[in-house]
Structures are given as structure tokens and as C-alpha cells.
Amino acid sequence: MAAKPGIPKGTRDFSPVEMAKRNYIFNTIRDVYHLYGFQQIETPSMEMLSTLMGKYGEEGDKLLFKIQNSGDYFSGITDEDLLSRNAAKLASKFCEKGLRYDLTVPFARYVVMHRDEITFPFKRYQIQPVWRADRPQKGRYREFYQCDADVVGSDSLLNEVELMQIVDTVFTRFGIRVCIKINNRKILTGIAEIIGEADKIVDITVAIDKLDKIGLDNVNKELAEKGISEEAIAKLQPIILLSGTNAEKLATLKTVLSDSETGLKGVEESEFILDTLQTMGLKNEIELDLTLARGLNYYTGAIFEVKALDVQIGSITGGGRYDNLTGVFGMAGVSGVGISFGADRIFDVLNQLELYPKEAVNGTQLLFINFGEKEAAFSMGILSKARAAGIRAEIFPDAAKMKKQMSYANVKNIPFVAIVGENEMNEGKAMLKNMESGEQQLVTAEELIGALTK
């Protein structure tokens, strides 16, 4: 007996209904991106490892899926290398490529390679899958889609404002209540400076970013393990647990960070973004959250994260400002800011809250029952007119029993069935049945189209 097939952990198959739901997500996000003047690009699923390595921090590098070289990948590897059992060293010898970890680093590579074809500021969006060798769990997958929008070649904070408007618009269209969390890496840098641990900014941000997941005690334990002094950790507590309105938090930070020029710059940037958004009438809450750190090393300014309020799940959107990303590819001085919608988590949230509109998941609108060759030939004429009018319609391909064909319509949730027998053909009409109400009426092709296009 053949072994039962399977798929890798952290990946999923999607049925036609699930694909309809996913396309609703992608199309909604795509439509909003277009509203704000973003243009679509695509990049390859795999990149050179030299492009990916070192861009996501030490933890990110460990999560890269590496692709084994084709051919004799052992050539050039010594017995000493093999006996060392050093996985990282061996991988570097026979893996030159890797699956992309996100869409931002490949985008930075794209900008550098195509700089002569691009008009700046360049507003691009990208909807493609990414891969991470992470431990699969609820809401966390090894293969998942990101829906990114980035603006490069502009330092203006109006870009951050517009990206938050996009986030608000998208989730309002989905009907998902969210909290948009905002912080600034310059504020975090300032905090590291005033507690006397400026050189430990990466360790501090990586630990703080885990506050929601592991709790304050474990964050403090991780900070201590990274060599941060007890005195510095104590100074950090009231800052990361700061409460009050956004305005109150900003006022406190201006005092706390008064000796840090970088920190005050971060406060100023956050204040501009929050004050401008306050005049825009956002539908969702926006909160200054000092525990938000976004562990990726390339963020340098404003950072964002979005949490669903009615479902227990991780962040469903994130992003931020990065000033130095293209510099690692030899193109200095190009600032960028971007967001990424986590389509797979949004899919789960919409499912749990049952927020998919009916029309988004319905496929075929009209099924013609097949009674035989003559009836099918007659039905095909009406079917062609229906499709030309934009009605999603099909005919059952075989002259099977009526019960089987009606069962097919029910399983596919097809709302209307057209029945064409000898009597209907003699009158040049079809019997249109509403599958929900059971109501039937004899109609011409034009009347049928009119009924389904109301």
C-alpha cells in the first residue's frame, strides 16, 4: 500500500472556498494600495544568500530556508569540514541561495538593481509568499503571504501618515476592529542611552519586543542574560510600562529623554504622525506603545504593529521606517518606509469573526441542468449570453440524474439553477429556480440575465 502523502508542517492546502476568501483579502488590500498611488512589482521566490544574510539580525538569519546547490555540492568541501559537523559552515559551502524571509530586503535589492528605471519617490506594493524556518503554531506558518507597501526615496513623515491611513482603511473595509500601535526606534535608542546601555540597543529591542509573548519577568531575565546591569534594567521598567494618553506619554518622554538628542528626535517624529492622524478621522484606535520594538535590525525610525481587538492572535500588520537598507547593496542615502499585511493571519481573523461578505465566497451564480444533447445545445446559447453579461455560469457536463446535478449545485452553493427540457425549448425559454427560496419562473434569456444582474 502506498504511503499516505503529506505536506511540510507550517504549510497548508487551500480549497476553492478558501481561495475565494484569500482573493477577497488580496483584492481588498490591492484596491486600497491603488487608491494611494502604489504600483505592483514581483521578485523571485529565491534570492542569493548574500542578499538575505545579515539583514534580519542573528535570530532572523537562523530562520532562513537555505537551498542546496545542484550538482556536486560536495566539491570543495574537505573531510575536515564534514567531520566538524558545523552545520552553519557546511551550509555556507553548498547553499548559495535561499527562500526570501520577507519582501522588504528583496525590494531593497530591486531598487538598487533598477535604480536607473525608477522615478523617486517610488511607491511599490508586492503580494507574494515568504518562508521562515520557524516553529509552526497557531497563527504562525512557515509559508505565508505578505502584502507589502513601501515608499522609498522620501524622508517625509507624510508617508508614515498615509501608511497608517491605508491600515485604517483596509481593516475598516474588512470590518475588523484593530489597535494600531506606533513607536520609534529613535525613542528606544534614546532610552538605551539614558540608562547607560547605548551599545546594547539591539539586545534591548529584541527583548522588549517579546513582552506580550513572555511577560515582563522573562524580558528582564533575558536582558540580564545579555549583560545589561540591574541598575539599567530597573531604570527601564517605568519607561516600558508607561501609561496614559498618547499626548501624556509624549510629554513624559520629552522630560525623560531630555538629555538624548536622538530620543527627542523620535518623540518629535511620533508627535507629528499622531497629531496629523488625529485630524484625519481614523476609524480605529492608534496608540503610542513603548514596548513595541519590531525586532528587525533595519528599522531606524517610526515602527508600527496592528493587533486585532476581538481575536487572540499575534500582530496582523507591521512595518516601519528604514534609512540604511539599500546602503548594504552599495546605494547609500535612500530612505524608505513600509508596511506589511499578514494575509494568513487576517484570513484566520476573518474566519473566526465570520466577516466574509457572501458575494466574496460565492463562485458560480447559475447552473444549467443537462438533460441530453439537444437540451444542452439549447442551454449553451443562453449560457453564452449569460457569461457575456458577466454572470458566472456553468452547465453540468454529463446528462446525469437530476438529483446528482441538484446536489452538485447545493454543495457548490450555486444560488440559481436553469432547467431546460422539451417544453422549455418549445417556448424558447428556461425554467429559473431560486435554490434558496425554491421559487421557479419561466423566463427568456433576457429575463434570466435581468434577474441575475439586479
Side-chain angles (χ1 to χ4, degrees), residues 232-371:
I233 293 171
K235 284 181 182 177
L236 198 55
Q237 304 309 293
I239 299 170
I240 62 175
L241 296 175
L242 191 64
S243 61
T245 66
N246 292 334
E248 288 167 347
K249 290 176 186 175
L250 289 167
T252 302
L253 285 171
K254 285 177 185 176
T255 303
V256 171
L257 299 175
S258 58
D259 293 332
S260 170
E261 185 180 344
T262 301
L264 289 177
K265 180 67 175 170
V267 174
E268 179 189 328
E269 291 178 2
S270 299
E271 191 167 37
F272 175 86
I273 295 166
L274 290 167
D275 286 352
T276 307
L277 285 170
Q278 200 166 11
T279 68
M280 298 293 173
L282 296 189
K283 302 289 193 299
N284 291 283
E285 176 190 356
I286 185 159
E287 175 194 347
L288 179 65
D289 183 355
L290 297 186
T291 68
L292 173 62
R294 301 290 296 166
L296 300 180
N297 283 347
Y298 54 65
Y299 290 126
T300 55
I303 45 180
F304 321 107
E305 203 157 89
V306 178
K307 299 277 184 162
L309 296 178
D310 301 314
V311 173
Q312 280 292 108
I313 200 168
S315 68
I316 53 179
T317 299
R321 165 73 64 171
Y322 44 87
D323 287 332
N324 309 314
L325 196 60
T326 55
V328 299
F329 298 122
M331 187 179 175
V334 178
S335 182
V337 60
I339 53 171
S340 179
F341 289 95
D344 295 82
R345 287 187 176 182
I346 293 170
F347 176 90
D348 290 343
V349 171
L350 289 170
N351 265 342
Q352 287 186 53
L353 299 178
E354 298 183 347
L355 288 173
Y356 287 102
K358 193 174 180 182
E359 61 272 16
V361 295
N362 281 350
T364 302
Q365 296 167 275
L366 174 65
L367 172 71
F368 281 84
I369 299 296
N370 186 341
F371 288 118

Side-chain angles (χ1 to χ4, degrees), residues 70-351:
S70 56
D72 184 9
Y73 53 83
F74 277 114
S75 64
I77 297 178
T78 65
D79 289 346
E80 185 182 347
D81 289 332
L82 290 170
L83 291 170
S84 73
R85 297 183 180 275
N86 186 324
K89 186 178 178 183
L90 285 169
S92 69
K93 299 235 180 197
F94 58 77
C95 297
E96 294 174 353
K97 297 173 283 293
L99 294 176
R100 58 171 173 247
Y101 176 93
D102 72 353
L103 299 177
T104 307
V105 169
F107 172 53
R109 189 265 311 149
Y110 176 95
V111 170
V112 173
M113 287 184 67
H114 298 271
R115 68 182 93 182
D116 295 333
E117 308 155 29
I118 291 172
T119 300
F120 293 100
F122 181 41
K123 302 172 79 170
R124 88 77 168 90
Y125 77 88
Q126 209 170 333
I127 299 176
Q128 288 186 274
V130 298
W131 294 267
R132 296 183 185 178
D134 213 343
R135 185 172 64 85
Q137 53 187 289
K138 184 181 179 183
R140 188 184 292 266
Y141 306 100
R142 285 175 169 166
E143 178 185 61
F144 56 97
Y145 267 76
Q146 288 185 338
C147 308
D148 284 19
D150 288 79
V151 187
V152 294
S154 170
D155 296 322
S156 172
L157 292 172
L158 288 178
N159 296 314
E160 277 87 338
V161 169
E162 284 207 335
L163 289 171
M164 293 305 92
Q165 287 180 281
I166 286 173
V167 168
D168 184 64
T169 303
V170 164
F171 286 110
T172 299
R173 290 191 178 191
F174 285 143
I176 299 173
R177 294 192 319 121
V178 298
C179 177
I180 304 168
K181 294 177 179 287
I182 180 174
N183 197 8
N184 196 297
R185 289 299 281 259
K186 294 184 180 77
I187 291 176
L188 294 170
T189 299
I191 290 169
E193 287 176 5
I194 64 158
I195 66 170
E197 298 283 0
D199 60 328
K200 295 284 179 66
I201 178 63
V202 173
D203 292 332
I204 291 170
T205 55
V206 167
I208 288 176
D209 200 37
K210 297 175 183 174
L211 187 67
D212 281 351
K213 297 169 193 158
I214 64 175
L216 185 61
D217 289 344
N218 286 321
V219 167
N220 291 336
K221 183 181 175 185
E222 185 170 322
L223 289 168
E225 287 170 355
K226 294 292 184 179
I228 294 162
S229 70
E230 283 186 29
E231 183 185 358
I233 293 171
K235 284 181 182 177
L236 198 55
Q237 304 309 293
I239 299 170
I240 62 175
L241 296 175
L242 191 64
S243 61
T245 66
N246 292 334
E248 288 167 347
K249 290 176 186 175
L250 289 167
T252 302
L253 285 171
K254 285 177 185 176
T255 303
V256 171
L257 299 175
S258 58
D259 293 332
S260 170
E261 185 180 344
T262 301
L264 289 177
K265 180 67 175 170
V267 174
E268 179 189 328
E269 291 178 2
S270 299
E271 191 167 37
F272 175 86
I273 295 166
L274 290 167
D275 286 352
T276 307
L277 285 170
Q278 200 166 11
T279 68
M280 298 293 173
L282 296 189
K283 302 289 193 299
N284 291 283
E285 176 190 356
I286 185 159
E287 175 194 347
L288 179 65
D289 183 355
L290 297 186
T291 68
L292 173 62
R294 301 290 296 166
L296 300 180
N297 283 347
Y298 54 65
Y299 290 126
T300 55
I303 45 180
F304 321 107
E305 203 157 89
V306 178
K307 299 277 184 162
L309 296 178
D310 301 314
V311 173
Q312 280 292 108
I313 200 168
S315 68
I316 53 179
T317 299
R321 165 73 64 171
Y322 44 87
D323 287 332
N324 309 314
L325 196 60
T326 55
V328 299
F329 298 122
M331 187 179 175
V334 178
S335 182
V337 60
I339 53 171
S340 179
F341 289 95
D344 295 82
R345 287 187 176 182
I346 293 170
F347 176 90
D348 290 343
V349 171
L350 289 170
N351 265 342

